[in-house]
Amino acid sequence: MAAWAAAASEPETDEGTLSIYKAARRIKRRESTLYNALRSVADDAAFVAEIAALWPALPLVANLRCGLWYTQPRTLAATCYFKSTDGHAGNWGFSTARLNLHLALFAGERGGCIIVDSTRKGKRFPDSMSKTIPIWCCVLNRAIQRHRLRAINQGSGLNTEMSVAVPKGNEEKYSGSSNWDSSVHLPVWVLGTEKNAIEGRIEEWADQFESCGADIHSLSLGLQKPLRPLWISQSTRIWLNEVPEHGLWEFTPIILVSASASGTVPTQRMSSEYSWRYIPGAGDDEESWARGLTPALFWKHSYDLLDGGPDLCNQLVADIVEKDRVYRAQRGEYSPQITVKHPKSSSHNDPYCHGDHTAITQSVNPDPSAIAPTNTQYSSDGHIVFWIGASNLAVSSTRQVADGLPDVDCILNCDSTSRPPCGSSENSYLELPIVGSKDDRFSLLKNLPRAINFAKKKLTADRKMLLCCQTGEDISICVALAIITRLFNDSGCFDCGDSFAKRDITKLEMRKRLVFICKYAVNARPSRGNLRQVYSFLCNEKEQLSC
């Protein structure tokens, strides 16, 4: 009531008396301060740590991007990418662009995993946990079941393929028998009509998964028990003296932890020195509140930020982000500087300071070799380079370009904001000013011809080439997809584009090659807009060859 009175007593606006809507917005803006958000994140992260301690053998995995805020980098084993839009009512889907197969293999190796995410909308779980991940588990289980049934029905294949796909003596248990659970497991709050609609499409999604060229045989080898989701939130009751061992379950547990409390109204909380407002799902939509702070920077300076209190928090964040920006700029890394605008209504209790923004985050995986393919290279400063099979192509972020790699002969840089590496020449370095599809719908399309010509020339000379962009997750992946589709045959061998002229270009064929790339570049997150541009480019190339 005090906050409402303060808002209502302010001077009249240009339009007259302050409306209820504007007053409510002003109150919400005052409550959603940077300090409140960071305090809420730290409070929820303590809950996540408690759950992780119940099953210390299970690795902790963050669902990008919100989940990164609730896990300290030293405790994080991997990341995954499941979108809530694939679980929205009436819009359910199984995305072949976000297969997360590295997560399934990782869970099979470690006996399960714990996935962390959160939501702002007052729900206990985001739709990514309520439906997207359960659908993913069921589709993978169904595909593995089909694979093993086919191997059994082949007769002679039982002594060859099944002998390695199934542990010895367990052929019946882990084949297509009733012991292999491939049904849909959804939480109890999902309506029966919605569950029936999802169940009716599982076979269709399993067909899509098999047709996209995924390595189902490796999944069959890695998973000895079917995947199954379990849900834990702050409202869940767990008897500590009866916590089951994950190895005793008849399935591979995918424990889904929703970090935040489900209250719809922010609540007042007290610390040893300061009072603060709890914000559910504070880590979501970081661009709107974080002022350039990243999860890695937050956890590195968490004690200073939280102990400084609400009056110093904004200035401390600005200083931390600026120092990090200067540190990266001195090393030729991507480090833009932007200004945080002052809101229309601010108070002395919430000083909005100017800050700077860095779009590059440190590696959050303390042991990335635990899930990355064997062809992944790590530099001395922790940067990661993913080699795509035996194609002589590698993808990485522009952080790697500043120092260069000893076994890379040439670099195709898709981010013009970074400096070329020392000693680079025109013959070994090409810079293309490509921006994301949200900024320019045709930027990638216009630059792909030069990228293909450069790659064709270097690969013909048997040169090893690095493709890099700002994050190493989107534009560089799409450029690699265009190169592999245009210049490589179906077996993944470079043929200078001969096979491209003889085959039809369909979205299914492009999807197969994207799955092939994602098998090695496990951090790949290509956007739909950029993938559309790659497809348009390939269709144009095919049309020109036909003419």
Side-chain angles (χ1 to χ4, degrees):
M1 292 299 295
W4 174 265
S9 62
E10 292 185 3
E12 295 183 348
T13 62
D14 296 338
E15 299 178 0
T17 305
L18 186 68
S19 65
I20 295 177
Y21 171 78
K22 290 183 178 180
R25 292 284 295 178
R26 187 167 296 179
I27 293 171
K28 182 179 180 181
R29 186 161 52 242
R30 287 179 175 177
E31 293 173 347
S32 302
T33 63
L34 180 58
Y35 182 79
N36 287 345
L38 296 180
R39 265 291 180 186
S40 302
V41 166
D43 198 59
D44 292 337
F47 164 72
V48 172
E50 291 177 1
I51 299 301
L54 298 178
W55 293 280
L58 295 184
L60 196 61
V61 180
N63 189 31
L64 298 174
R65 293 174 302 160
C66 181
L68 287 176
W69 287 96
Y70 299 97
T71 51
Q72 296 194 33
R74 59 182 175 81
T75 65
L76 193 61
T79 60
C80 59
Y81 188 45
F82 294 97
K83 294 188 69 173
S84 291
T85 52
D86 293 331
H88 288 174
N91 193 42
W92 317 285
F94 175 82
S95 175
T96 54
R98 296 179 290 275
L99 286 178
N100 294 285
L101 297 185
H102 68 284
L103 179 65
L105 294 172
F106 193 34
E109 177 186 347
R110 301 286 292 271
C113 67
I114 301 174
I115 301 179
V116 181
D117 203 353
S118 185
T119 180
R120 279 179 178 266
K121 297 184 179 179
K123 299 181 292 187
R124 290 176 61 189
F125 291 87
D127 285 338
S128 61
M129 289 184 165
S130 296
K131 284 163 281 189
T132 303
I133 295 179
I135 289 173
W136 174 80
C137 292
C138 181
V139 171
L140 264 61
N141 290 336
R142 192 71 58 90
I144 292 172
Q145 184 184 48
R146 290 180 177 183
H147 176 77
R148 292 176 173 173
L149 277 173
R150 282 194 294 267
I152 290 176
N153 293 335
Q154 287 176 358
S156 60
L158 181 60
N159 297 323
T160 56
E161 187 175 5
M162 282 301 298
S163 63
V164 294
V166 180
K168 187 175 182 180
N170 292 327
E171 289 85 356
E172 180 180 357
K173 180 178 180 180
Y174 294 114
S175 66
S177 65
S178 59
N179 291 314
W180 184 267
D181 185 8
S182 63
S183 57
V184 183
H185 292 277
L186 295 169
V188 294
W189 55 86
V190 175
L191 298 178
T193 53
E194 193 171 0
K195 180 179 180 180
N196 293 334
I198 291 174
E199 287 178 338
R201 299 192 60 184
I202 293 297
E203 288 294 320
E204 172 190 347
W205 291 327
D207 292 339
Q208 293 178 5
F209 178 51
E210 291 181 337
S211 63
C212 74
D215 189 0
I216 301 177
H217 183 67
S218 295
L219 286 177
S220 183
L221 290 174
L223 286 172
Q224 307 307 327
K225 298 179 183 179
L227 300 169
R228 183 168 176 176
L230 302 173
W231 295 268
I232 295 178
S233 70
Q234 293 196 23
S235 302
T236 305
R237 292 184 178 182
I238 301 177
W239 304 105
L240 298 181
N241 60 336
E242 297 182 1
V243 176
E245 291 289 337
H246 71 276
L248 301 178
W249 286 326
E250 294 298 321
F251 50 85
T252 301
I254 306 295
I255 301 177
L256 308 177
V257 179
S258 183
S260 299
S262 57
T264 57
V265 180
T267 57
Q268 193 76 18
R269 298 191 180 184
M270 296 290 295
S271 63
S272 58
E273 299 181 38
Y274 311 103
S275 64
W276 50 282
R277 283 277 187 172
Y278 175 74
I279 304 174
D284 195 16
D285 192 21
E286 60 192 43
E287 290 86 359
S288 64
W289 63 270
R291 300 168 180 264
L293 192 69
T294 64
L297 284 176
F298 166 64
W299 286 111
K300 183 178 180 180
H301 303 278
S302 59
Y303 292 107
D304 295 334
L305 289 172
L306 299 180
D307 291 345
D311 293 338
L312 299 178
C313 183
N314 289 352
Q315 186 60 50
L316 288 173
V317 168
D319 293 342
I320 290 170
V321 172
E322 173 63 13
K323 289 179 181 178
D324 182 72
R325 187 191 69 82
V326 172
Y327 176 84
R328 297 187 184 283
Q330 291 174 345
R331 286 154 181 79
E333 299 177 8
Y334 183 75
S335 54
Q337 184 175 11
I338 64 172
T339 301
V340 178
K341 295 181 180 179
H342 289 278
K344 293 181 180 179
S345 173
S346 60
S347 66
H348 64 278
N349 293 325
D350 183 25
Y352 283 78
C353 303
H354 289 279
D356 303 305
H357 175 67
T358 176
I360 299 295
T361 61
Q362 295 286 354
S363 175
V364 297
N365 187 0
D367 184 17
S369 59
I371 61 166
T374 56
N375 63 333
T376 304
Q377 179 177 345
Y378 307 92
S379 64
S380 58
D381 54 359
H383 298 157
I384 305 177
V385 176
F386 298 99
W387 287 96
I388 304 175
S391 63
N392 279 347
L393 293 173
V395 293
S396 177
S397 70
T398 47
R399 288 175 291 171
Q400 191 62 63
V401 177
D403 301 327
L405 289 175
D407 54 352
V408 168
D409 302 314
C410 53
I411 297 174
L412 175 55
N413 185 6
C414 305
D415 179 15
S416 60
T417 59
S418 62
R419 286 188 315 204
C422 298
S424 60
S425 63
E426 294 183 0
N427 293 329
S428 62
Y429 181 81
L430 175 64
E431 184 179 285
L432 299 177
I434 303 177
V435 297
S437 58
K438 291 184 178 180
D439 298 321
D440 186 345
R441 293 188 301 166
F442 306 104
S443 177
L444 179 61
L445 180 63
K446 290 183 292 187
N447 285 279
L448 276 178
R450 291 183 62 194
I452 295 296
N453 291 335
F454 182 78
K456 185 176 182 179
K457 180 180 178 181
K458 301 306 176 185
L459 294 174
T460 302
D462 200 24
R463 307 283 294 277
K464 294 182 179 180
M465 184 167 65
L466 173 66
L467 310 173
C468 55
C469 64
Q470 178 184 333
T471 64
E473 301 172 354
D474 184 5
I475 295 177
S476 59
I477 298 295
C478 290
V479 173
L481 175 61
I483 292 173
I484 287 180
T485 306
R486 180 65 178 85
L487 302 177
F488 288 72
N489 60 21
D490 296 336
S491 302
C493 299
F494 177 73
D495 66 353
C496 210
D498 294 339
S499 61
F500 179 80
K502 302 175 183 177
R503 66 170 180 265
D504 295 330
I505 297 302
T506 64
K507 291 184 178 180
L508 177 60
E509 290 297 321
M510 196 176 77
R511 190 179 301 124
K512 289 180 179 180
R513 284 158 180 79
L514 178 60
V515 170
F516 170 75
I517 294 173
C518 294
K519 176 182 178 180
Y520 301 98
V522 297
N523 68 331
R525 293 192 294 157
S527 64
R528 184 177 300 179
N530 286 335
L531 289 176
R532 285 200 188 107
Q533 294 181 67
V534 173
Y535 183 68
S536 298
F537 165 77
L538 295 173
C539 291
N540 293 338
E541 288 284 291
K542 187 67 176 179
E543 184 177 353
Q544 292 179 8
L545 290 176
S546 300
C547 296

